[in-house]
Amino acid sequence: MSPSEQSPVSRRRGVLALAAVAGVVLVAGGAAVAWSAVQQGDGTASNGVSDTVSGASGAGREASDVESGVADFSAYSDGVAAQLAYAFEHWDDTESDTFGYLDDNDCVNFTSQSLLARGWAEDDEWWYDESGDAYGHADAWISSTAMRDYLEEHPERATALTDDERASVKVGDVVQFDWDDSGDRDHTGIVTSVETEPDGSITILYAGHTDPTWDRSVDWAITELHPGGVAYYWSIPE
């Protein structure tokens, strides 16, 4: 079903209903979130979740590490808190009655879902098929390169940043990767943490589908997972 066939209000109600079914609890306008939390190691990230990116590898926390817990996103706006809540609740999902699931290629479908939870409204180029058939969604909803092209044409939604502009990246922004530096985009995720290290360098972590991860290091992804890969970002206005 295209966005013209259902009002934005009805769509938003659907997102809220989905959150309720998933057991996500938003308190004080989305400030606090209770759900199944990932626990691995000690320390606390800027998002308030008990956090250590798996050892020195930065590979991120995988589905087998999920335990019961509570995370607090009260430092962020209501929209970003809702986006992170959705992402954290669903980062290891492999199916969805509402959005479907693309085996081996669900990263943009998942990122789009998080943006919808943040409050983005669908339009004629970025929308999902309510039948749950992920292959029926708009190209910009499910393709990394198509999402890049869409955002380039809609600067009101996001501003392009290179990896040299990490100082401008915020939690809740979109990260995209070109694994082989070929000019297209091969993977997309949601920024979950931005930390300035003692030496002044900036560490960025992200969540994504396929393979599912929470708090994976961008640096690890482009040096170890895909050596020579390039990271890009889309800065989203609050």
Side-chain angles (χ1 to χ4, degrees):
M1 181 181 293
S2 71
S4 63
E5 296 176 274
Q6 186 179 34
S7 70
V9 172
S10 297
R11 291 258 183 205
R12 186 61 180 156
R13 285 173 180 164
V15 172
L16 294 175
L18 181 64
V21 170
V24 177
V25 180
L26 300 181
V27 181
V33 186
W35 47 45
S36 295
V38 175
Q39 303 287 339
Q40 178 173 314
D42 298 321
T44 301
S46 62
N47 57 17
V49 181
S50 177
D51 176 23
T52 292
V53 180
S54 60
S57 72
R61 292 176 247 169
E62 309 302 334
S64 61
D65 298 314
V66 175
E67 298 177 2
S68 176
V70 176
D72 180 6
F73 294 140
S74 59
Y76 305 113
S77 67
D78 289 353
V80 173
Q83 178 189 20
L84 294 175
Y86 185 89
F88 200 63
E89 177 68 18
H90 297 284
W91 66 272
D92 61 340
D93 287 355
T94 55
E95 59 183 19
S96 169
D97 291 339
T98 303
F99 300 104
Y101 185 85
L102 296 167
D103 291 335
D104 301 323
N105 194 27
D106 198 61
C107 60
V108 191
N109 185 23
F110 177 60
T111 298
S112 292
Q113 293 167 38
S114 81
L115 293 171
L116 190 70
R118 179 173 176 150
W120 279 28
E122 299 164 78
D123 58 27
D124 291 337
E125 301 164 83
W126 183 78
W127 52 270
Y128 72 94
D129 184 338
E130 287 190 330
S131 72
D133 177 10
Y135 293 96
H137 304 338
D139 288 347
W141 187 281
I142 59 174
S143 162
S144 288
T145 300
M147 173 174 269
R148 176 202 64 186
D149 295 344
Y150 168 76
L151 292 177
E152 285 179 343
E153 295 173 359
H154 292 274
E156 74 281 2
R157 291 210 142 173
T159 301
L161 298 173
T162 69
D163 205 27
D164 292 331
E165 298 174 287
R166 289 189 177 196
S168 297
V169 176
K170 310 178 304 300
V171 170
D173 286 349
V174 171
V175 57
Q176 292 196 306
F177 298 92
D178 181 353
W179 294 138
D180 54 3
D181 197 15
S182 63
D184 61 1
R185 300 291 163 88
D186 301 305
H187 188 54
T188 301
I190 305 114
V191 173
T192 56
S193 178
V194 181
E195 296 285 349
T196 300
E197 306 297 343
D199 63 1
S201 64
I202 297 174
T203 297
I204 295 177
L205 310 180
Y206 69 97
H209 269 189
T210 322
D211 54 344
T213 189
W214 177 268
D215 277 354
R216 172 167 287 175
S217 164
V218 168
D219 288 322
W220 183 86
I222 61 178
T223 59
E224 300 292 334
L225 184 63
H226 291 278
V230 182
Y232 300 90
Y233 308 91
W234 292 98
S235 177
I236 302 173
E238 290 289 348

